[in-house]
Amino acid sequence: MKKIWHLAEEYSLPLILGIIFSLIWANVNYVSYQNFLHYKIGGLFDVHFAVNDIFLVLFFGLISIEIVHDLSPNGAMHPLHKAIANIMAAIGGIVCPIMVFFILNLLWGNPSYSNGWAIGTATDIAVALLFAKFIFPKKHAAFSFLLFLAIIDDFAGLGIIAIFYPNPDKPVQLEFLSLVALAIVLSYVIKRIRVKSYWWYLFPTLISWVGMFKTGLHPALALVWIVPFMHLSDVKHSPINALEHDLKPIVDFGLFFFGLTNAGVPFSSVSILTLIIFMSLFIGKTFGIFIFVKMSEKLGWKMPRKINNTELILIGMTAGIGLTVSLFVADIAYVEEEIKAAAKMGALLSLCSGGIALSIQKLKDKKQ
């Protein structure tokens, strides 16, 4: 049983199954699917809210834990000057998809699509690494490079969501940011008194959630501001390590419900926006990463481990799998359901980026 559980986590099976079920359901009976999304739990909030505004607190919290680990001593991003080439690659993988989106939207799209510019900046860490397992040999430098890249992407994504995507249904009320500030102060105090249990941090997390919800910012980021204040040490059961250990299985299997509630779009919703989203991820990530790495090399900042040009292109394609975070951004970027569905289909099609990379590698292996 433990082996099956581990395989399910390793290959992102819950997320993939959730996506498959949602696509089947939405295309067989869209009205029933929509009724499910808007079903009230205990008469308080609907299923969609429970997943995107409550469960995703844990998802983004787990991402922020990974960022804290990588910025800490002995982490992949410490000291930062040793990772400038990697950071440059990540910047290219963020900036270029935005440029591609605006160019293609100007040529083919519609002004009503413009708010989806950030959808192409995301990289799904779990699914991208899953494809990398089939593309590159074990212990290849591509794995650490891709992980580093995805973490920076998601770090930037958290900032983009917080700043540029307030809740469209609620006017921004900045006075409630004082609650977020209070949550941060409480977290700092808890850290200073060296509390050993992460449960103490749940109270400031709740305050942060209420503050962000009332402010009009997305409350899914509530834990992001608390995690950096958790005590970090090499001890396995320090608050941040214990939280990561307990969160990971919940998040890995909870992503089934994220896929189920966010990926259910009718195939008829495909539009030119779908292509724009896919191309911004595929072209923007692939060439953005490649160009910025070459720029950094010209400036004297080389990558710590050698990756050839073909491998760099394949890494860029694999990083073009936006999926989870792209679906989330698509959901909050658009209000109109038809546009939202077309954008989500583009995020789903980003899986093809990994498939294309895998096909190229297989052809390359056959020729050798």
Side-chain angles (χ1 to χ4, degrees), residues 148-263:
F148 186 96
L149 187 74
I151 287 172
I152 295 178
D153 277 358
D154 287 339
F155 180 73
L158 296 178
I160 288 169
I161 292 167
I163 296 168
F164 295 102
Y165 291 101
N167 190 333
D169 299 323
K170 290 176 66 67
V172 175
Q173 301 178 69
L174 293 178
E175 62 270 23
F176 284 103
L177 279 179
S178 60
L179 289 176
V180 180
L182 173 62
I184 290 172
V185 170
L186 286 175
S187 301
Y188 174 75
V189 171
I190 292 170
K191 179 181 180 180
R192 290 290 296 174
I193 61 177
R194 302 182 75 83
V195 170
K196 294 182 179 180
S197 172
Y198 67 75
W199 288 97
W200 286 88
Y201 289 94
L202 297 186
F203 180 60
T205 300
L206 178 60
I207 294 174
S208 173
W209 190 95
V210 172
M212 297 197 70
F213 180 75
K214 289 289 188 179
T215 301
L217 301 176
H218 209 286
L221 303 180
L223 188 53
V224 170
W225 322 117
I226 308 302
V227 165
F229 294 93
M230 290 186 175
H231 182 62
L232 176 66
S233 71
D234 294 329
V235 180
K236 182 179 179 181
H237 297 293
S238 66
I240 196 167
N241 292 333
L243 179 61
E244 182 179 28
H245 177 269
D246 291 347
L247 274 189
K248 193 170 189 318
I250 296 172
V251 170
D252 284 342
F253 286 89
L255 282 174
F256 169 83
F257 296 100
F258 175 82
L260 185 64
T261 55
N262 286 273

Side-chain angles (χ1 to χ4, degrees), residues 124-144:
D124 189 303
I125 297 176
V127 181
L129 288 174
L130 173 60
F131 272 91
K133 288 178 184 178
F134 296 106
I135 295 169
F136 302 103
K138 287 183 179 179
K139 297 183 179 179
H140 192 279
F143 290 99
S144 57

Side-chain angles (χ1 to χ4, degrees), residues 58-345:
L58 308 181
F59 172 76
F60 286 116
L62 194 60
I63 289 176
S64 62
I65 289 172
E66 291 173 352
I67 293 168
V68 168
H69 279 306
D70 279 340
L71 288 172
S72 64
N74 301 318
M77 290 188 276
H78 184 87
L80 280 176
H81 70 82
K82 290 185 178 180
I84 291 178
N86 304 65
I87 294 171
M88 285 284 287
I91 292 171
I94 295 168
V95 172
C96 290
I98 295 173
M99 292 174 60
V100 171
F101 177 89
F102 280 117
I103 291 169
L104 293 182
N105 194 44
L106 184 65
L107 293 174
W108 303 333
N110 188 294
S112 62
Y113 298 163
S114 60
N115 204 41
W117 57 269
I119 297 172
T121 63
T123 296
D124 189 303
I125 297 176
V127 181
L129 288 174
L130 173 60
F131 272 91
K133 288 178 184 178
F134 296 106
I135 295 169
F136 302 103
K138 287 183 179 179
K139 297 183 179 179
H140 192 279
F143 290 99
S144 57
F145 182 86
L146 190 56
L147 178 61
F148 186 96
L149 187 74
I151 287 172
I152 295 178
D153 277 358
D154 287 339
F155 180 73
L158 296 178
I160 288 169
I161 292 167
I163 296 168
F164 295 102
Y165 291 101
N167 190 333
D169 299 323
K170 290 176 66 67
V172 175
Q173 301 178 69
L174 293 178
E175 62 270 23
F176 284 103
L177 279 179
S178 60
L179 289 176
V180 180
L182 173 62
I184 290 172
V185 170
L186 286 175
S187 301
Y188 174 75
V189 171
I190 292 170
K191 179 181 180 180
R192 290 290 296 174
I193 61 177
R194 302 182 75 83
V195 170
K196 294 182 179 180
S197 172
Y198 67 75
W199 288 97
W200 286 88
Y201 289 94
L202 297 186
F203 180 60
T205 300
L206 178 60
I207 294 174
S208 173
W209 190 95
V210 172
M212 297 197 70
F213 180 75
K214 289 289 188 179
T215 301
L217 301 176
H218 209 286
L221 303 180
L223 188 53
V224 170
W225 322 117
I226 308 302
V227 165
F229 294 93
M230 290 186 175
H231 182 62
L232 176 66
S233 71
D234 294 329
V235 180
K236 182 179 179 181
H237 297 293
S238 66
I240 196 167
N241 292 333
L243 179 61
E244 182 179 28
H245 177 269
D246 291 347
L247 274 189
K248 193 170 189 318
I250 296 172
V251 170
D252 284 342
F253 286 89
L255 282 174
F256 169 83
F257 296 100
F258 175 82
L260 185 64
T261 55
N262 286 273
V265 291
F267 294 125
S268 59
S269 63
V270 172
S271 73
I272 193 64
L273 177 60
T274 303
L275 180 61
I276 290 171
I277 297 295
F278 170 70
M279 296 299 280
S280 65
L281 278 158
F282 181 68
I283 295 175
K285 288 285 186 186
T286 303
F287 293 101
I289 291 168
F290 184 86
I291 291 168
F292 272 65
V293 166
K294 293 304 164 184
M295 282 172 52
S296 69
E297 288 178 349
K298 290 289 184 183
L299 294 170
W301 297 315
K302 298 185 182 297
M303 287 188 292
R305 296 176 66 184
K306 184 67 177 175
I307 295 174
N308 64 41
N309 289 341
T310 303
E311 291 168 341
L312 191 56
I313 290 288
L314 294 178
I315 289 171
M317 289 180 180
T318 309
I321 304 171
L323 204 57
T324 312
V325 181
S326 289
L327 282 170
F328 178 71
V329 176
D331 189 68
I332 62 177
Y334 299 113
V335 175
E336 193 174 328
E337 288 299 324
E338 188 177 342
I339 296 176
K340 183 183 293 189
K344 285 187 174 184
M345 190 60 76

